């Protein structure tokens, strides 16, 4: 505007007024820009506050000190720097190597005894594999990746083939632990392919019905396994519900109970869970 004014042929007084107006407009524009920057900063602070995951007063939690330290790390580093925990699950755990990611909410959900997903269960299974290695029990117990067999992980045929491929790596007597999520609930299946027997553990009070989809997956997998070892096999796979399994007190603990079932079973070197009558 000042350029136009200086080229308009107006007198000096008019030009001086134009300059004052320009200065005022410039200051007004500067004030508006500062105000906008301030609003943007406030929005960013609000956004950051929304992203902060509350884990409660973990200093008073009844939990191992390592879990409290991990929660503190989540708050001070992962959330603030928008990071995740990434690591590799070795091939020997699930039959094939894969990378996995733990999100901050995965850790805080575990710490707060909230519902947990397949990632947390898989990471715990990796830990149990280390326990088995230390006890020289890897030839006795194997694991099936819950992320590849649970609901919405593919067709029943695809999941059956994945389970069958895992069973084919057994020495015959090895049992395989298969946590399964129907989309609503976690259960644990223990597959003994050579004996064509599957054990069903469910922490839901009064529930003794095996999810039909899980049943179809395992039945088909054992048929494929029988074909692989050139065995005719039984007409039907034997399914056994283990009685006396601990029951969850509310509606969110099923994932924790599945992890507990696996831990308690492998802590017995004789693997006599099926002979005890009670779990």
């Amino acid at each position: 505007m000042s350029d136009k004014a200086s080229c308009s042929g107006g007198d000096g007084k008019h030009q001086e007024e134009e300059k004052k107006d320009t200065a005022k407009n410039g200051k007004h524009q500067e004030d508006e820009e500062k105000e906008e920057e301030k609003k943007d900063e406030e929005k960013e602070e609000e956004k950051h506050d929304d992203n902060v995951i509350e884990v409660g007063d973990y200093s008073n939690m009844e939990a191992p000190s390592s879990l409290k330290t991990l929660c503190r790390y989540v708050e001070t580093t992962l959330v603030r720097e928008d990071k995740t925990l990434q690591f590799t699950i070795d091939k020997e755990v699930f039959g094939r190597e894969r990378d996995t990611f733990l999100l901050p909410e995965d850790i805080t959900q575990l710490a707060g005894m909230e519902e947990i997903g397949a990632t947390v269960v898989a990471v715990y299974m990796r830990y149990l594999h280390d326990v088995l290695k230390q006890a020289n029990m890897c030839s006795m117990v194997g694991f099936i990746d819950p992320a590849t067999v649970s609901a919405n992980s593919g067709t029943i045929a695809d999941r059956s083939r994945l389970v069958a491929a895992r069973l084919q790596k057994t020495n015959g007597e090895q049992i395989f632990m298969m946590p399964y999520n129907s989309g609503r609930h976690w259960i644990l299946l223990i597959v003994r392919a050579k004996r064509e027997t599957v054990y069903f553990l469910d922490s839901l009070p009064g529930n003794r019905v095996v999810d039909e989809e899980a049943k179809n997956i395992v039945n088909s997998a054992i048929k494929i396994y029988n074909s692989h070892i050139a065995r005719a096999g039984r007409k039907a796979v034997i399914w056994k519900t283990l009685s006396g399994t601990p029951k969850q007190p509310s509606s969110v603990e099923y994932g924790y109970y599945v992890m507990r079932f696996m831990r308690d079973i492998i802590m017995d070197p004789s693997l006599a869970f099926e002979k005890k009558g009670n779990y």
Side-chain angles (χ1 to χ4, degrees):
M1 289 177 66
S2 63
D3 286 344
K4 289 181 181 178
S6 63
C7 293
S8 64
D11 57 22
K13 181 179 179 182
H14 179 71
Q15 290 181 14
E16 186 65 28
E17 289 176 352
E18 289 281 357
K19 289 180 181 178
K20 289 180 180 180
D21 289 341
T22 300
K24 288 181 180 178
N25 289 337
K27 187 175 185 307
H28 179 67
Q29 183 176 358
E30 185 179 347
D31 291 340
E32 286 184 342
E33 289 175 352
K34 287 182 179 179
E35 187 65 27
E36 287 297 323
E37 288 178 1
K38 185 177 179 181
K39 289 180 179 179
D40 289 340
E41 289 176 358
E42 290 175 351
K43 287 181 180 179
E44 188 64 31
E45 288 177 0
E46 290 176 0
K47 182 179 179 183
H48 177 74
D49 289 341
D50 290 340
N51 287 336
V52 172
I53 300 172
E54 296 293 338
V55 297
D57 186 5
Y58 48 76
S59 61
N60 294 323
M61 286 194 310
E62 292 183 6
S65 59
S66 56
L67 181 57
K68 296 177 183 179
T69 301
L70 186 58
C71 288
R72 189 175 296 108
Y73 177 71
V74 168
E75 282 192 329
T76 59
T77 304
L78 294 187
V79 172
R80 292 184 182 180
E81 299 180 13
D82 195 24
K83 291 182 177 180
T84 60
L85 289 178
Q86 177 183 358
F87 51 92
T88 300
I89 295 181
D90 298 334
K91 181 179 179 180
E92 57 184 356
V93 180
F94 294 130
R96 59 179 181 177
E97 182 180 294
R98 75 172 177 90
D99 292 330
T100 192
F101 303 85
L102 273 178
L103 302 175
E105 51 263 39
D106 290 326
I107 299 168
T108 54
Q109 285 165 1
L110 177 69
M113 281 294 290
E114 300 174 22
E115 291 186 42
I116 53 175
T119 300
V120 173
V121 176
V123 170
Y124 187 70
M125 293 168 80
R126 184 202 176 283
Y127 157 73
L128 291 180
H129 178 77
D130 288 342
V131 174
L132 289 170
K133 283 179 69 175
Q134 293 173 3
N136 295 318
M137 291 175 62
C138 288
S139 62
M140 300 168 64
V141 182
F143 296 110
I144 296 173
D145 190 349
T148 62
V149 295
S150 294
N152 304 318
S153 300
T155 66
I156 290 179
D158 289 339
R159 286 180 277 168
S160 295
R161 283 191 287 270
L162 286 171
V163 175
R166 191 76 178 108
L167 297 179
Q168 288 166 15
K169 297 176 182 178
T170 180
N171 62 3
E173 290 298 333
Q174 189 177 27
I175 66 170
F176 281 89
M177 295 188 177
M178 176 179 151
Y180 178 85
N181 192 315
S182 64
R184 305 173 301 276
H185 180 61
W186 280 104
I187 60 172
L188 176 64
L189 303 179
I190 302 175
V191 184
R192 191 155 236 162
K194 186 176 181 180
R195 301 184 187 181
E196 298 177 89
T197 303
V198 184
Y199 302 90
F200 170 59
L201 292 84
D202 191 342
S203 61
L204 196 63
N207 188 24
R208 293 179 176 272
V209 179
V210 182
D211 182 90
E212 279 301 314
E213 189 171 281
K215 200 169 185 177
N216 290 336
I217 291 169
V218 177
N219 286 344
S220 296
I222 291 179
K223 286 182 180 179
I224 298 172
Y225 169 78
N226 284 339
S227 176
H228 174 74
I229 64 172
R231 180 177 68 176
R234 295 191 180 97
K235 289 184 179 179
V237 174
I238 298 173
W239 285 79
K240 294 184 178 181
T241 300
L242 290 186
S243 60
T245 54
K247 302 303 178 183
Q248 61 193 72
S250 66
S251 61
V252 298
E253 296 93 354
Y254 34 80
Y256 300 91
Y257 275 77
V258 163
M259 294 191 293
R260 173 186 173 176
F261 296 157
M262 292 189 290
R263 180 203 66 186
D264 289 353
I265 288 170
I266 70 171
M267 289 303 178
D268 177 6
S270 67
L271 295 180
F273 63 93
E274 59 186 309
K275 300 176 182 177
K276 292 181 178 178
N278 265 337
Y279 173 73

